[in-house]
Amino acid sequence: MAVRPATGGKVLTLDTLVRLRRGLHTPTAAPRRLPVPDGMTTPLGCDAVAMPARFGPLLMPRLPRVGCVYADETHWWWLVPSDSDYALEWPAPAQYATGAIVPDAPVAPDLIHRPEGKLPYTPPIPLYLALCRVTGTTPTWSRPISA
C-alpha cells in the first residue's frame, strides 16, 4: 500500500510510515530482561510480576514457594511461568512484564532470592492471591457479575 500526495512528490509506503512512527517512540534506555540464574531452566517460558517494594516483605511469608525474586529501591520482580496473566487481572499496583522485561531500568535489579532446585518460578495463583490480600483487592473470580 502506498500513499500518493495529491500535488506530486514522494510516495510513502506503509513500511515507511511504520518506521517513522516507531522512530517517534524510541525508548531512552534499552529494556532489560531479568536474567535467570545459571543452572536454572525455564521450560514454561518466563514472565515477571512487578510490584512496589513495600509489598515484597509482606508477600514472602504468605507464599508456599518463592521463586527468583529481584529488587531495586522501588520494585520487586517475581519470576512466573509465561502467560500467567491469561484470564487473570493482576491487581494494581502490580505490573505484568511479558518476557520478564524490566522497562526503564538503568541497571538490572539485584537477585535477592533464589530457590533451591532448577525452576525459578513463583507459583502465579498463590502470588496473585497474596497480592490481592495485601492490597485489599477482591480476586476477579470472586467479584459479582453484573448483567
Side-chain angles (χ1 to χ4, degrees):
M1 175 180 165
V3 176
R4 295 191 183 275
T7 60
K10 188 173 182 180
V11 174
L12 297 176
T13 66
L14 185 57
D15 290 338
T16 303
L17 294 172
V18 169
R19 196 169 47 254
L20 289 171
R21 175 130 174 97
R22 285 184 184 155
L24 294 174
H25 299 292
T26 304
T28 55
R32 298 186 181 276
R33 183 179 308 273
L34 294 173
V36 175
D38 290 338
M40 299 194 107
T41 61
T42 56
L44 302 175
C46 199
D47 290 345
V49 177
M51 58 201 66
R54 69 182 183 272
F55 293 120
L58 301 172
L59 293 170
M60 293 288 269
R62 295 176 183 265
L63 296 170
R65 181 184 191 283
V66 178
C68 289
V69 181
Y70 300 81
D72 62 17
E73 296 171 358
T74 60
H75 288 90
W76 284 30
W77 288 266
W78 306 73
L79 291 186
V80 295
S82 290
D83 300 324
S84 293
D85 62 336
Y86 179 75
L88 199 62
E89 293 177 34
W90 288 88
Q95 297 175 338
Y96 193 83
T98 302
I101 294 185
V102 180
D104 303 326
V107 295
D110 295 323
L111 178 66
I112 62 168
H113 184 269
R114 178 187 171 145
E116 300 218 6
K118 295 190 181 265
L119 297 177
Y121 307 124
T122 296
I125 298 300
L127 178 61
Y128 172 81
L129 292 171
L131 187 57
C132 284
R133 180 75 171 196
V134 300
T135 60
T137 304
T138 302
T140 54
W141 55 77
S142 297
R143 294 179 190 154
I145 299 173
S146 60

